[in-house]
Amino acid sequence: MASLPAYDLSVDEIRVALTYANAAVTLQPIAIDTTKAAAPAATPAKKAAKQEEKDDFDVFGDDDEEEDEAPKESRAEMLARLKKEAEERTAKKEANQRTLVAIEIKPWDVEQDLMVLWKKITETIVQDGLKWGESCNLADVAYGIKKIQCTFVMGVSNSSDDVVEKILDMEDEVQSCEVVSMNVL
């Protein structure tokens, strides 16, 4: 077996070889410093000054000084303000909200005048926010009996159950009253 030739390694070559070996083990990119003398370590004051310079540069040109001078509201004050604004928006929406209700009213007798009954209902049942339709339809039920089909518009403060109960309180003239549909306008 032949002997290996003698090879003289310098300090720089050993340092480069160890850097490659270290990079292979840690899977880090290789950064080789070719200078003989090590650079003196930066003082903490210089590092802080460099960091401050980086922080001072404002890409968007915002003036942070103005924001610092203005008093900031606390979290509780902000939540109270947002809650108040939400309640105001909700109250405004509810004030404009209307519901269209269609009802059917069935009388007791065939001989009963339904137009007179409808006029009586619309004139006696009056509430704030309640508006009756201008006309009604008469539909056949069976054996010559007809029913009244009419509509009314009510606000948020009104209840269709209250209107139906008041119609049913006319026991001598009304057999039944049913809500056919309710649509929010």
Side-chain angles (χ1 to χ4, degrees):
M1 189 149 153
S3 67
L4 292 174
Y7 188 79
D8 187 22
L9 291 175
S10 69
V11 175
D12 289 333
E13 291 173 335
I14 292 174
R15 188 167 40 119
V16 170
L18 288 174
T19 305
Y20 279 113
N22 188 25
V25 170
T26 61
L27 299 174
Q28 296 292 325
I30 301 171
I32 301 173
D33 185 19
T34 58
T35 61
K36 297 269 182 185
T43 62
K46 288 182 181 178
K47 286 183 181 179
K50 285 183 180 179
Q51 184 66 25
E52 210 171 291
E53 287 177 14
K54 288 180 183 177
D55 290 343
D56 285 345
F57 180 69
D58 192 5
V59 178
F60 299 107
D62 294 336
D63 292 332
D64 293 334
E65 297 167 3
E66 294 176 8
E67 292 176 8
D68 293 339
E69 294 173 5
K72 294 183 180 179
E73 64 182 342
S74 70
R75 182 173 175 82
E77 291 171 346
M78 181 184 69
L79 290 174
R81 179 180 53 84
L82 292 174
K83 184 177 180 182
K84 181 181 175 186
E85 290 172 0
E87 288 173 352
E88 288 173 356
R89 285 192 305 267
T90 303
K92 188 176 180 181
K93 279 184 180 179
E94 286 179 353
N96 295 331
Q97 186 177 4
R98 302 276 183 236
T99 304
L100 176 68
V101 181
I103 59 173
E104 290 181 345
I105 304 167
K106 296 177 187 169
W108 283 110
D109 289 330
V110 177
E111 301 160 357
Q112 190 171 3
D113 189 4
L114 298 181
M115 293 309 286
V116 172
L117 176 61
W118 180 71
K119 282 284 186 191
K120 181 179 178 182
I121 290 171
T122 57
E123 290 172 1
T124 57
I125 301 173
V126 178
Q127 297 176 356
D128 281 341
L130 177 70
K131 183 177 178 186
W132 288 96
E134 293 181 9
S135 64
C136 68
N137 294 328
L138 302 178
D140 290 328
V141 177
Y143 303 107
I145 298 176
K146 294 188 176 196
K147 62 182 175 184
I148 302 171
Q149 295 175 331
C150 62
T151 60
F152 61 89
V153 177
M154 64 179 188
V156 175
S157 61
N158 301 102
S159 171
S160 62
D161 293 336
D162 292 341
V163 175
V164 170
E165 285 178 14
K166 288 181 180 179
I167 293 172
L168 290 175
D169 286 343
M170 300 177 185
E171 294 173 348
D172 296 338
E173 300 166 331
V174 176
Q175 175 188 355
S176 66
C177 179
E178 296 178 13
V179 174
V180 178
S181 68
M182 292 180 74
N183 297 315
V184 177
L185 301 177

